[in-house]
Amino acid sequence: MEEIIQVKTISEFHRLYNLPKPLHPLISLVDYAEMYNGVTVKCWSQSFYSIALKKNVLGKFNYGQLPYDFDEGLMSFFSPGQILNIKFNDELPRQEPSGWILLIHPDFLWNTTLAKTIKGYEYFGYAINEALFLSEREEDSMGGAFG
């Protein structure tokens, strides 16, 4: 099994992907196109939530027991402590990845209603569920987020 990299802060995530320092230590919005600049992290766990809307990411992710491809638009939701594992497919023709990932540290939500209810949202439980694949119509309704 791959070594699991523990990413404890949003700042560590930015350093891992050679991104500029986040503007806020507890929340960050990252352009997917900026993340794939030669960095090939394969297995990690993070201590914060992430909500991603992505397309053309050439790899296969495993969330819990379920693998899936990133060749269509999809949304994914991760909660702190989940292990993410990616296998890059170098045989596919390169396309520019696009989309966004929102990183939210649990401390950002502290003392809010959302902090009390977020664990009940099933789409953060990828040990048993899979990503939300988006139709072209749904992608359009997201307001052109795939830039």
Side-chain angles (χ1 to χ4, degrees):
M1 181 175 195
E2 296 275 339
E3 176 188 358
I4 300 170
I5 296 171
Q6 302 294 325
V7 183
K8 295 180 182 170
T9 67
I10 291 172
S11 293
E12 284 180 30
F13 182 91
H14 276 246
R15 282 193 298 275
L16 185 66
Y17 283 97
N18 296 323
L19 297 167
K21 183 178 175 181
L23 298 176
H24 192 286
L26 300 179
I27 190 166
S28 181
L29 184 64
V30 175
D31 182 342
Y32 255 99
E34 295 179 12
M35 286 182 57
Y36 292 93
N37 51 7
V39 178
T40 57
V41 177
K42 294 181 181 173
C43 190
W44 73 98
S45 175
Q46 55 195 34
S47 299
F48 43 87
Y49 294 95
S50 66
I51 301 171
L53 177 64
K54 50 199 158 222
K55 190 172 187 174
N56 298 329
V57 178
L58 297 176
K60 189 173 276 194
F61 265 74
N62 285 326
Y63 297 149
Q65 305 298 316
L66 302 170
Y68 63 87
D69 293 320
F70 276 94
D71 49 359
E72 297 296 330
L74 61 95
M75 291 185 77
S76 59
F77 302 81
F78 299 110
S79 59
Q82 287 181 293
I83 296 173
L84 296 88
N85 189 350
I86 189 169
K87 294 179 182 167
F88 293 98
N89 189 343
D90 293 325
E91 296 174 11
L92 294 175
R94 288 281 173 207
Q95 297 180 24
E96 286 299 315
S98 61
W100 301 91
I101 180 169
L102 177 63
L103 309 171
I104 307 167
H105 194 279
D107 289 350
F108 186 78
L109 305 174
W110 185 78
N111 209 23
T112 66
T113 303
L114 182 56
K116 296 173 185 146
T117 61
I118 196 167
K119 291 180 179 152
Y121 297 138
E122 293 179 8
Y123 42 82
F124 278 108
Y126 279 106
I128 56 174
N129 298 313
E130 61 181 59
L132 303 174
F133 290 90
L134 302 177
S135 69
E136 193 170 322
R137 181 174 162 219
E138 290 167 326
E139 288 179 27
D140 291 342
S141 73
M142 294 298 294
F146 288 119

